[in-house]
Amino acid sequence: MADLILTPNFDSADDFYAQLLASHEGLGKDESDALNARLILVLANHIGDAEVLSQALKTATLPGD
Amino acid sequence: MEPFGKTLWPSPARDTEFRAKAPGREPMNKIFETPLYAYDRSPDQDTATPVRHKVIVVGAGPVGLSAAIDLAQQGVEVVVLDDNDKVSFGSRAICFSQRTLDIADRLGCGKPMAESGVQWEAGKVFFDDRKVYEFDLLPEKGFANPAFVNLQQYHLENILVDRVRALQAEGAPIEIRGRNKVEAIGTHDDHVKLEVETPEGPYNVEADWLIACDGAHSPTRRMLGLDFDGRVFEDNFLIADVVMEADFPTERWFWFDPPFNRGQSALLHKQPDNVWRIDLQLGWDIDKEREKRPENVIPRLKAMLGEDVVFELEWVSIYTFQCRRMERFRYGRVLFAGDSAHQVSPFGARGANSGIQDTDNLCWKLKLVIDGQAPELLLDSYSRERVQAADENIQNSTRSTDFITPKSEMSRLMRDAVLDLSEHYEFARPLVNSGRLSTPCTYEGSSLSSADALSGPDLTCPGAACPDAPLGDEFLLSKLAGKFTLLTIDADAPDRIEEDGVEATRLALSIKDDLTLELKRRYLGDATSAVYLIRPDQHVAARRDNFEENAFRQAMRRATGKE
Ligand SMILES: Cc1cc2nc3c(=O)[nH]c(=O)nc-3n(C[C@H](O)[C@H](O)[C@H](O)COP(=O)(O)OP(=O)(O)OC[C@H]3O[C@@H](n4cnc5c(N)ncnc54)[C@H](O)[C@@H]3O)c2cc1C
């Protein structure tokens, strides 16, 4: 059973972050929301593993939320 | 599911429904108008003390009729009471699953169903003004019956009533009494007493056992003061059956947010006799009276089907749908089956299909209890197993409904993201949920099952409904009908074993009997031999790689509620 990686794992954190912001540039709130939603689905399918996905969903809910 | 408002479904006096006259379609009109089981005075109405029957079934819908046929075929005396005298009319069930057809085969009705039903395998999904993808279900081969057929509920009921008549002609102990309305119920430890209203006044009658198949509004449930909790979907659906000579392909078409029904969904599906089922989601805040008027319905349908398509309205109704079930399906001598016990939204066609599976689970158990071959306790397993199935069905149709009618801004956002992606990428298509078609429940953890002792396929683990498999020109399921079977595949076993009055007979097979190797794939997997104990409802009770007498005797005791 795979574990969700919670230590730094990006090839290049700053580059990814810049790309993420760039892909939202010029979009209205609705379009940005839709892009984020599609991104979640694309990434979730790539992961596939049900256990990892459920850990990810739990992790996204911050302690105290 | 239930129609909107207070109207009692299927009372013909619904105000939420109209039926347009379809000229030149007289043969079809006759089905609704001919009393199939007209009122006829029964000798029971003239006795000083109430007559006691073995089993009374309340309700001659698809579920009540299936239960009665099943019991009568096993020689159990049964009387069906219905407050109506005709098949149900209007837009009701159309999609019947393979499991239902397998059960119908056992009830002697599978052939006419498969022959008159429409088979379909392909579909299209539309989002906004575009087709996002097409699918072909490419059904697996090696089953006697198709994955599902579309057939109007009134045709099914007609076929079931024909079967009742055929059984009567053979002298089977079965009777349907039309215009016999159950008005009051008295429950006792060892029987049930009913007060029945007829056109010639009331009479009393008794039964050792009562099966309540009296539909979503179940008067039996109400008279016994039993709960029926669940979730109401805040949405209205316009359900229309239209007759058209169009050459639309035999496919299921589903629209999310189409231009002709903005912000809502729509479904088009073919039935026999050139009748098409159309579901249009209407939203919550609508004027129902207005929506169902032909002058409002017809423009919507034209926008959907195309301006040039010529069609006639057969039925139009407005429904809201519900998901709920009773806490238990057995209360002493009263057993609930079908819509009286559970309701689901129609996405996934689980209403009548699951109700017929209820009777499949119940009738062999009731027969054993009536014959004194099993303790009454066995009937509690009916409740447990079918509650499990109802929960599975409710979960599936709730998920479909949540996808089709998103309840929050975020769920709509995710839904639309799935649909947009599905147009371009295959990966997103399994997330598109416009209804997951009914498949039989595996009774996981059932007290009737023995621990799995075969490293075989999951498909046929204890609790599962046996999948069919080809055997040359024949099929497996037709050989597993209505009794305990010891299925051996390349294994030895006695021709029959009897345990405490219950018999299991052997069906000896070899993987060589099926050159397509489906038998091996579905029943052996990596194992080289197997022995299965199969219940009369074709669910697996136990399995291991060889015949070990003590283990199988114990399995038979478990499967009949004695362990
Ligand atoms: C639009 C729509 C689409 C559907 N599509 C599907 C589908 O594709 N597939 C599917 O499997 N299901 C579908 N369903 C569900 C299906 O119609 C029901 O699940 C099914 O009819 C339930 O059968 P039943 O025998 O339990 O109850 P019912 O068919 O409701 O029958 C109950 C019977 O009890 C009788 N009765 C009631 N009260 C009394 C009384 N006091 N005394 C005597 N008799 C009484 C009634 O006259 C009636 O004949 C659909 C339903 C709707 C509305």
Side-chain angles (χ1 to χ4, degrees):
Chain A
M1 198 192 304
D3 262 333
L4 180 70
I5 301 169
L6 287 172
T7 51
N9 189 41
F10 292 108
D11 282 347
S12 163
D14 287 351
D15 287 347
F16 167 72
Y17 199 73
Q19 258 186 346
L20 179 64
L21 293 191
S23 66
H24 282 277
E25 220 152 89
L27 300 185
K29 167 93 171 101
D30 288 355
E31 293 162 310
S32 262
D33 284 346
L35 178 70
N36 279 340
R38 291 194 296 271
L39 183 62
I40 291 169
L41 295 168
V42 168
L43 296 176
N45 178 66
H46 184 86
I47 294 167
D49 187 304
E51 179 59 32
V52 177
L53 288 171
S54 113
Q55 288 175 34
L57 285 168
K58 283 196 202 101
T59 307
T61 307
L62 294 176
D65 265 14
Chain B
M1 63 233 67
E2 91 185 333
F4 180 78
K6 290 261 171 289
T7 33
L8 275 190
W9 186 230
S11 140
R14 268 154 307 177
D15 61 20
T16 52
E17 179 156 318
F18 71 84
R19 173 141 189 264
K21 271 271 169 260
R25 298 184 47 79
E26 290 316 314
M28 185 134 133
N29 294 351
K30 282 215 178 86
I31 298 181
F32 306 108
E33 284 153 17
T34 316
L36 283 183
Y37 34 91
Y39 171 74
D40 194 10
R41 192 174 182 88
S42 156
D44 289 8
Q45 289 167 255
D46 299 315
T47 56
T49 47
V51 174
R52 172 83 63 93
H53 295 279
K54 272 276 173 260
V55 179
I56 289 182
V57 173
V58 188
V63 178
L65 290 170
S66 300
I69 291 168
D70 203 343
L71 291 170
Q73 284 191 164
Q74 300 181 60
V76 177
E77 191 252 335
V78 58
V79 176
V80 184
L81 305 176
D82 197 286
D83 66 351
N84 210 320
D85 57 5
K86 304 177 184 71
V87 291
S88 88
F89 64 87
S91 303
R92 301 194 78 193
I94 60 165
C95 197
F96 295 98
S97 69
Q98 185 175 67
R99 183 66 198 148
T100 294
L101 294 168
D102 291 340
I103 295 168
D105 275 338
R106 193 168 61 69
L107 301 181
C109 303
K111 213 163 169 237
M113 280 184 78
E115 280 171 4
S116 48
V118 171
Q119 291 184 29
W120 62 279
E121 288 168 11
K124 293 192 174 76
V125 176
F126 301 86
F127 180 37
D128 197 349
D129 57 358
R130 54 200 210 277
K131 182 181 82 191
V132 286
Y133 68 94
E134 295 183 27
F135 60 84
D136 188 331
L137 296 166
L138 293 174
E140 265 187 86
K141 299 272 183 283
F143 301 92
N145 284 310
F148 22 77
V149 296
N150 283 4
L151 184 69
Q152 292 90 328
Q153 181 163 332
Y154 49 77
H155 282 319
L156 168 62
E157 291 180 15
N158 214 359
I159 289 169
L160 292 168
V161 172
D162 282 348
R163 177 63 185 149
V164 171
R165 298 296 176 223
L167 282 167
Q168 285 174 323
E170 293 164 17
I174 184 170
E175 194 190 326
I176 315 182
R177 298 186 189 165
R179 301 184 68 192
N180 270 241
K181 184 175 185 189
V182 176
E183 291 279 16
I185 297 183
T187 51
H188 302 269
D189 280 351
D190 63 348
H191 73 283
V192 177
K193 189 168 178 172
L194 302 178
E195 187 183 308
V196 182
E197 186 60 50
T198 76
E200 296 181 300
Y203 70 101
N204 291 338
V205 63
E206 295 178 352
D208 288 349
W209 298 92
L210 185 82
I211 311 181
C213 307
D214 46 357
H217 293 276
S218 176
T220 305
R221 197 182 58 224
R222 190 170 30 77
M223 289 185 275
L224 296 183
L226 298 169
D227 67 285
F228 200 33
D229 293 331
R231 176 172 166 191
V232 184
F233 291 107
E234 297 206 337
D235 226 314
N236 294 295
F237 286 81
L238 183 122
I239 312 282
D241 283 329
V242 306
V243 186
M244 59 181 177
E245 306 287 337
D247 49 355
F248 278 103
T250 305
E251 296 179 348
R252 183 182 196 261
W253 288 10
F254 201 97
W255 287 263
F256 295 95
D257 196 10
F260 57 84
N261 199 22
R262 266 299 163 217
Q264 311 289 349
S265 65
L267 171 70
L268 178 71
H269 217 179
K270 188 167 193 225
Q271 309 171 54
D273 319 319
N274 288 319
V275 179
W276 299 76
R277 166 65 52 86
I278 293 168
D279 295 11
L280 287 169
Q281 185 192 351
L282 295 177
W284 187 236
D285 200 13
I286 55 147
D287 178 348
K288 288 133 211 149
E289 287 308 311
R290 233 181 70 84
E291 289 296 343
K292 68 178 196 221
R293 279 185 221 139
E295 65 265 32
N296 295 317
V297 173
I298 288 167
R300 270 183 192 281
L301 298 185
K302 285 205 154 163
M304 175 176 179
L305 302 170
E307 280 299 322
D308 307 333
V309 174
V310 182
F311 62 86
E312 280 163 8
L313 291 176
E314 179 90 10
W315 301 98
V316 176
S317 349
I318 292 180
Y319 291 89
T320 60
F321 295 113
Q322 315 210 338
C323 280
R324 52 184 187 173
R325 68 159 168 86
M326 296 178 73
E327 193 187 329
R328 289 180 283 137
F329 297 170
R330 177 185 176 211
Y331 291 83
R333 293 263 160 164
V334 182
L335 300 141
F336 289 85
D339 277 13
S340 70
H342 46 75
Q343 282 176 272
V344 290
S345 76
F347 305 106
R350 288 159 186 273
N353 283 309
S354 65
I356 289 169
Q357 287 167 46
D358 290 345
T359 68
D360 188 44
N361 186 296
L362 173 61
C363 290
W364 67 271
K365 295 175 180 174
L366 191 53
K367 160 83 175 161
L368 285 179
V369 170
I370 287 174
D371 289 352
Q373 290 175 339
E376 271 191 35
L377 217 63
L378 180 61
L379 295 172
D380 288 332
S381 76
Y382 160 68
S383 182
R384 280 194 306 273
E385 291 182 338
R386 293 313 296 169
V387 160
Q388 186 181 356
D391 284 345
E392 191 176 296
N393 287 320
I394 288 171
Q395 183 189 60
N396 272 292
S397 42
T398 304
R399 287 174 171 179
S400 302
T401 310
D402 286 345
F403 192 87
I404 293 164
T405 66
K407 296 293 182 296
S408 67
E409 208 184 317
M410 186 48 63
S411 60
R412 179 173 295 271
L413 184 73
M414 295 309 297
R415 200 277 307 266
D416 290 355
V418 166
L419 290 169
D420 279 329
L421 286 166
S422 76
E423 184 175 6
H424 305 283
Y425 305 103
E426 216 182 306
F427 88 80
R429 293 178 192 167
L431 295 170
V432 176
N433 189 344
S434 65
R436 302 272 182 246
L437 288 154
S438 165
T439 50
C441 175
T442 294
Y443 304 131
E444 231 172 273
S446 169
S447 61
L448 305 194
S449 299
S450 299
D452 197 358
L454 180 78
S455 56
D458 287 345
L459 194 67
T460 40
C461 68
C466 286
D468 210 352
L471 298 173
D473 293 338
E474 298 180 296
F475 285 91
L476 174 63
L477 287 188
S478 62
K479 298 178 185 294
L480 299 177
K483 53 183 176 20
F484 277 98
T485 305
L486 213 48
L487 167 66
T488 60
I489 303 174
D490 296 319
D492 257 341
D495 286 342
R496 56 184 289 279
I497 55 169
E498 196 193 298
E499 176 63 21
D500 196 17
V502 181
E503 188 182 75
T505 45
R506 180 183 178 198
L507 173 64
L509 297 178
S510 161
I511 56 161
K512 294 189 208 84
D513 294 330
D514 170 29
L515 300 177
T516 68
L517 292 182
E518 288 300 345
L519 183 67
K520 175 173 164 33
R521 205 177 64 74
R522 292 171 193 166
Y523 286 85
L524 284 184
D526 296 331
T528 50
S529 69
V531 181
Y532 281 79
L533 177 66
I534 296 167
R535 307 179 350 180
D537 57 6
Q538 301 175 332
H539 280 255
V540 176
R543 65 176 186 177
R544 56 192 307 126
D545 52 10
N546 65 343
F547 180 75
E548 217 253 88
E549 182 161 345
N550 283 339
F552 278 97
R553 287 192 177 278
Q554 197 193 5
M556 284 193 63
R557 298 181 63 82
R558 273 186 81 81
T560 47
K562 295 170 186 163
E563 295 256 323

